[in-house]
């Protein structure tokens, strides 16, 4: 594709939408915090707090969980208003497989599209062919296989899925550790074992081979889905992610400005407990959140094209079997 | 070459593509160190020989870099000003890093209290996000770094410039050497900023910093700008005067009757180097070698 911007000098013409450029923006966001915002006011708070980008949404994940209904792409006017109000990159979400929503978002000139499991799936078999777009995509992953499937489809950036809107970091931790564990396992394998590994990961062999050689993902991987405190952000950074998405955690808390600033500081100084102590102090209540993720009827994280067991249905509430932890080990309240 | 001889280059690691810079610098014969705080700059007793400010989000870097005051009330921004202006150590800013080194910046965020927190030092006027949103980010052949070493003929081939939501230099001071230019149309937002800037220059006003137009705060048909005056503690009255005398800047005009303007993408002024594009995202290390040479010359002359 040639430049649409009229760029060009004697040395050659500009080329837009290359993978270097698409993946490059994600590299520029590293070590930063991307915040979900629902209006111009929140976008301004996010920019003034030091966010590296904002995600423009009509409803943040916590509200989508609570209210249900079909969650879709935001109104372009909302995205345009936010784009006009801030100078940092503006991202927006499209439904999984909904390539027309993606085309609309590209026409809006958003800086990144999140093909997101938080929105209702538009296609429960296929994801968007992201190679067809000049605008880059970020996609969620729970494990290395899922990550590589998204890369093969043309994703320029990854994030853990976590479980959005819960304020509970446990799933994000699980997914970050799973991806890294999978990479380490590949590195220990001999060359002939990689063929079967690719089959088991259900990922393209070439990418599997590349990961085994490099020992790292070829594109940037952020944490997302449940980050609610500066400590959560630093935890994810110490677990080796490149940056942090904070969705409901900021604007569902008591003091969004202070919390946003604190999470930004914690993401930069994630290795310095002294700074983390300072920024964690006096932030007021965090979002309430959901503790029993497995028992919650909403399950964003298992939504993947061709993978989702409960496509089109509400997953059944899991039955408890056997003893609970409290029954087995007792409660600290009884001691 | 023994490890002792390799110069030590700090890479500002608040946010952005600092790891990529480290890899390129290490491939170009330097040792590197991540710098997040004032303490990081002196820790270990070894002084830094040079500093790189990477690409990233200049607003975020500015806010984080000035937020934390360490012992003596100094932020890492103050320490970097000393590093550049007092110690005269080689410092290179790419993309967002270039904005930080600029003396003047338009297209800054309109919502941040004091606007873009600049470190300054390089007498240039930059326009943030000149080329537009991510779909307009591009790769283009740019002039290669000057052949100071003169190694081989291949040095003259164009350099693959990667521009990602990049800033552009609109004008450079007398003492600044221009190392590269590109012709490009400003994006919608940048075009409005430039229009306003030209109006101000015509009226003889000095613009040190100007925010983007907040389209939502349109006052009737009038565009309302929120301007920010740079509140830099290290700026003395004398320096301010110097800037004012310099007010007769000329903006690059349309090159061929279209809206395209010839803007600057690489400059050097003694110990400072700025590039609007991202050499850290390519496998071509010529700009890193050029900077490594600057650092080595500075070490040798010290």
């Amino acid at each position: 594709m040639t430049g649409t911007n009229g760029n060009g000098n004697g040395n050659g013409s500009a080329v837009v939408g290359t993978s270097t450029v698409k993946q490059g923006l994600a590299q520029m966001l590293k070590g930063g915090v991307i915040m979900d915002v629902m209006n111009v006011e929140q976008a301004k708070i996010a920019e003034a707090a030091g966010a590296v980008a904002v995600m423009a949404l009509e409803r943040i994940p916590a509200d989508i969980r609570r209210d249900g209904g079909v969650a879709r792409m935001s109104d372009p006017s909302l995205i345009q208003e936010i784009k006009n109000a801030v100078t940092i990159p503006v991202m927006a979400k499209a439904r999984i497989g909904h390539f027309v929503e993606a085309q609309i978002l590209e026409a809006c000139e958003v800086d990144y599209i999140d093909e997101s499991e938080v929105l209702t799936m538009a296609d429960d078999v296929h994801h968007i062919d992201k190679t067809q777009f000049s605008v880059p995509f970020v996609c969620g992953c729970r494990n290395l296989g899922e990550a590589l499937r998204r890369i093969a489809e043309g994703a320029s950036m990854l994030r853990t899925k976590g479980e959005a809107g819960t304020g509970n970091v446990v799933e994000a931790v699980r997914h970050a550790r799973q991806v890294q564990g999978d990479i380490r396992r590949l590195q220990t394998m001999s060359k002939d074992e990689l063929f079967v590994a690719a089959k088991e990961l259900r990922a393209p062999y070439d990418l599997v081979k590349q990961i085994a050689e490099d020992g790292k993902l070829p594109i940037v991987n952020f944490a997302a889905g449940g980050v609610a405190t500066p400590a959560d952000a630093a935890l994810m950074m110490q677990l080796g992610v490149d940056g942090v998405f904070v969705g409901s955690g900021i604007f569902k808390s008591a003091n969004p400005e202070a919390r946003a600033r604190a999470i930004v500081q914690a993401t930069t100084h994630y290795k310095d407990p002294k700074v983390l102590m300072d920024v964690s102090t006096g932030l007021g209540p965090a979002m309430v959140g959901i503790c029993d993720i497995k028992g919650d009827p909403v399950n964003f994280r298992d939504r993947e094209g061709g993978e989702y067991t409960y496509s089109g249905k509400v997953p059944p509430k899991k039955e408890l079997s056997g003893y609970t932890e409290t029954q087995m080990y007792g409660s600290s309240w009884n001691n | 070459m023994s490890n002792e001889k390799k110069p030590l280059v700090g890479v500002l690691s608040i946010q952005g593509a600092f790891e990529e810079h480290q890899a390129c610098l290490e491939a170009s014969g330097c040792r590197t160190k991540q710098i997040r705080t004032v303490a990081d700059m002196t820790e270990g007793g070894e002084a830094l020989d040079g500093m790189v400010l990477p690409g990233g989000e200049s607003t975020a870097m500015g806010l984080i870099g000035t937020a934390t005051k360490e012992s003596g009330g100094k932020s890492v921004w103050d320490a970097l000003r000393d590093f550049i202006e007092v110690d005269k150590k080689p410092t290179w800013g790419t993309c967002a890093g270039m904005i930080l080194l600029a003396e003047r910046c338009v297209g800054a965020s309109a919502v941040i209290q004091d606007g873009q927190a600049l470190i300054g030092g390089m007498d240039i006027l930059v326009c943030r996000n000149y080329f537009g949103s991510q779909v307009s980010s591009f790769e283009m052949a740019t002039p290669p770094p000057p052949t100071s070493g003169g190694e081989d003929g291949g040095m003259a081939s164009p350099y693959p410039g990667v521009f990602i939501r990049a800033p552009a230099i609109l004008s450079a001071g007398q003492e600044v050497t221009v190392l590269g230019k590109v012709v490009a149309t400003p994006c919608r937002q940048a075009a409005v900023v430039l229009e306003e800037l030209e109006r101000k220059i015509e009226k003889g006003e000095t613009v040190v910093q100007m925010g983007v137009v907040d389209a939502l705060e349109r006052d009737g048909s009038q565009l309302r700008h929120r301007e920010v005056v740079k509140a830099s503690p290290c700026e003395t009255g004398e320096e301010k005067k110097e800037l004012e005398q310099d007010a007769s800047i000329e903006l690059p005009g349309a090159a061929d009757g279209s809206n395209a303007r010839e803007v600057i993408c690489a400059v050097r002024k003694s110990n400072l180097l700025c590039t609007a594009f991202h050499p850290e995202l390519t496998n071509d290390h010529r700009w890193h070698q050029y900077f490594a040479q600057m650092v080595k010359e500075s070490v040798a002359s010290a």
Side-chain angles (χ1 to χ4, degrees):
Chain A
M1 273 175 280
T2 48
T4 53
N5 196 17
N7 298 304
N9 67 358
N11 289 321
S13 58
V15 190
V16 300
T18 63
S19 55
T20 306
V21 163
K22 286 157 75 173
Q23 293 165 13
L25 179 57
Q27 287 169 284
M28 296 310 135
L29 301 175
K30 287 202 299 183
V33 182
I34 300 168
M35 300 180 191
D36 281 2
V37 297
M38 290 182 290
N39 53 46
V40 169
E41 284 316 303
Q42 292 184 350
K44 287 180 174 177
I45 290 172
E47 181 171 42
V52 291
V54 291
M55 176 82 72
L57 290 170
E58 273 167 3
R59 289 189 289 168
I60 50 177
D63 292 337
I64 296 174
R65 292 190 86 84
R66 191 194 58 206
D67 300 341
V70 178
R72 310 179 177 94
M73 173 189 84
S74 301
D75 190 316
S77 69
L78 172 81
I79 295 164
Q80 214 61 52
E81 280 171 15
I82 290 174
K83 262 175 69 79
N84 286 338
V86 297
T87 62
I88 53 178
V90 175
M91 302 183 165
K93 286 186 197 290
R95 282 181 265 175
I96 288 175
H98 206 316
F99 50 84
V100 174
E101 283 190 349
Q103 289 164 4
I104 293 169
L105 292 175
E106 186 174 50
C108 288
E109 298 198 355
V110 299
D111 296 297
Y112 243 93
I113 296 177
D114 184 2
E115 187 183 18
S116 177
E117 70 281 2
V118 174
L119 303 187
T120 309
M121 294 175 83
D123 186 333
D124 57 18
V125 181
H126 306 98
H127 280 249
I128 298 171
D129 177 3
K130 294 167 272 287
T131 60
Q132 299 301 310
F133 291 81
S134 300
V135 62
F137 282 76
V138 54
C139 289
C141 63
R142 288 160 297 175
N143 50 53
L144 184 61
E146 192 173 14
L148 298 184
R149 287 192 287 280
R150 296 296 86 79
I151 294 172
E153 293 158 2
S156 303
M157 177 180 181
L158 294 166
R159 55 173 174 77
T160 63
K161 280 181 159 174
E163 187 59 31
T166 61
N168 188 338
V169 80
V170 65
E171 291 298 323
V173 168
R174 187 195 319 284
H175 300 160
R177 281 191 183 275
Q178 184 67 45
V179 169
Q180 281 155 7
D182 291 344
I183 292 174
R184 279 192 293 273
R185 262 187 296 285
L186 284 187
Q187 285 182 284
T188 63
M189 288 182 183
S190 65
K191 273 185 181 169
D192 54 352
E193 289 172 323
L194 292 177
F195 297 103
V196 176
K199 191 195 81 176
E200 285 170 350
L201 286 169
R202 284 169 295 139
Y205 168 72
D206 289 342
L207 283 173
V208 170
K209 182 163 157 277
Q210 186 191 339
I211 301 287
E213 284 163 6
D214 298 348
K216 63 183 177 63
L217 289 168
I219 57 177
V220 168
N221 184 24
F222 270 46
V227 175
T229 66
D232 288 349
L235 170 70
M236 297 310 300
M237 291 297 288
Q238 288 197 28
L239 283 172
V241 300
D242 296 312
V244 180
F245 281 88
V246 188
S248 319
I250 290 172
F251 292 103
K252 284 283 170 194
S253 74
N255 189 348
E257 285 97 339
R259 185 164 295 269
R261 272 199 306 274
I263 292 177
V264 167
Q265 289 287 335
T267 306
T268 290
H269 301 289
Y270 67 95
K271 283 186 279 196
D272 188 339
K274 172 75 173 57
V275 175
L276 297 177
M277 180 191 78
D278 288 343
V279 301
S280 301
T281 306
L283 292 180
M287 71 179 282
V288 176
I290 292 166
C291 140
D292 181 14
I293 290 182
K294 286 205 171 69
D296 196 85
V298 182
N299 176 340
F300 291 139
R301 63 194 177 282
D302 287 337
R303 293 177 180 173
E304 188 193 355
E307 299 285 322
Y308 184 45
T309 329
Y310 303 114
S311 50
K313 288 174 280 183
V314 175
K317 186 146 181 159
K318 291 220 171 108
E319 300 249 337
L320 279 177
S321 59
Y323 294 107
T324 65
E325 281 185 4
T326 314
Q327 285 165 332
M328 281 195 289
Y329 307 116
S331 162
S332 56
W333 290 102
N334 300 333
N335 295 335
Chain B
M1 198 160 76
S2 79
N3 225 20
E4 302 295 312
K5 292 256 171 66
K6 288 187 180 177
L8 181 64
V9 177
V11 182
L12 187 68
S13 306
I14 285 177
Q15 186 269 318
F18 49 88
E19 281 160 335
E20 289 80 351
H21 263 300
Q22 285 183 289
C24 295
L25 286 165
E26 277 160 22
S28 307
C30 299
R31 288 173 299 140
T32 62
K33 186 180 177 189
Q34 296 186 359
I35 304 297
R36 290 183 174 81
T37 60
V38 182
D40 286 343
M41 290 180 73
T42 49
E43 182 199 52
E46 191 184 353
L48 300 172
D49 298 314
M51 195 67 206
V52 169
L53 314 181
E57 274 306 312
S58 54
T59 52
M61 286 194 213
L63 287 164
I64 302 167
T66 52
T68 323
K69 305 271 185 210
E70 287 171 62
S71 54
K74 258 172 107 176
S75 69
V76 72
W77 249 226
D78 300 322
L80 286 170
R81 278 192 198 109
D82 289 348
F83 188 78
I84 292 165
E85 279 163 26
V86 181
D87 305 341
K88 304 263 180 227
K89 293 285 184 72
T91 304
W92 177 20
T94 62
C95 194
M98 173 177 101
I99 296 172
L100 303 181
L101 288 178
E103 284 288 343
R104 291 189 261 177
C105 166
V106 296
S109 165
V111 301
I112 295 169
Q113 193 83 60
D114 298 319
Q116 177 65 50
L118 302 172
I119 295 167
M122 182 68 99
D123 183 14
I124 51 175
L125 171 66
V126 298
C127 178
R128 277 187 71 218
N129 201 7
Y130 175 87
F131 303 94
S133 64
Q134 174 62 15
V135 287
S136 307
S137 292
F138 59 99
E139 285 184 65
M140 188 163 78
T142 57
T147 50
S148 53
E151 280 164 34
D152 53 50
M155 292 292 276
S157 65
Y159 188 88
V162 180
F163 294 78
I164 296 174
R165 287 174 50 91
I169 302 171
L170 299 177
S171 78
Q174 297 279 316
E175 291 158 38
V176 177
T177 314
V178 174
L179 300 178
K181 285 183 174 183
V182 293
V183 177
T185 316
C187 72
R188 187 179 57 85
Q189 227 171 25
V192 179
V193 168
L194 288 182
E195 223 170 81
E196 180 69 7
L197 183 63
E198 268 163 356
R199 195 181 61 75
K200 281 181 183 296
I201 291 168
E202 227 164 75
K203 281 168 69 181
E205 289 178 47
T206 301
V207 179
V208 172
Q209 215 180 103
M210 194 170 83
V212 296
V213 178
D214 190 337
L216 294 173
E217 288 177 18
R218 274 166 200 266
D219 187 15
S221 63
Q222 279 298 94
L223 293 171
R224 264 174 48 200
H225 292 258
R226 184 169 149 207
E227 272 178 64
V228 251
V229 182
K230 184 175 161 194
S232 157
C234 77
E235 195 170 75
T236 64
E238 218 173 53
E239 278 171 313
K240 272 219 173 88
K241 217 184 260 166
E242 216 171 63
L243 277 174
E244 269 159 34
Q245 283 167 359
D246 200 28
S248 60
I249 51 165
E250 247 180 74
L251 292 181
D256 51 359
S258 70
N259 288 327
R261 291 162 186 260
E262 190 177 49
V263 291
I264 304 164
C265 64
V267 289
R268 179 173 173 183
K269 183 190 161 193
S270 60
N271 61 323
L272 298 181
L273 179 67
C274 287
T275 54
F277 47 88
H278 293 282
E280 73 272 25
L281 296 186
T282 67
N283 292 322
D284 190 331
H285 292 159
R286 279 179 289 169
W287 278 103
H288 284 89
Q289 286 159 2
Y290 179 75
F291 181 69
Q293 195 57 39
M294 275 173 69
V295 174
K296 281 169 193 160
E297 279 164 16
S298 144
V299 172
S301 69

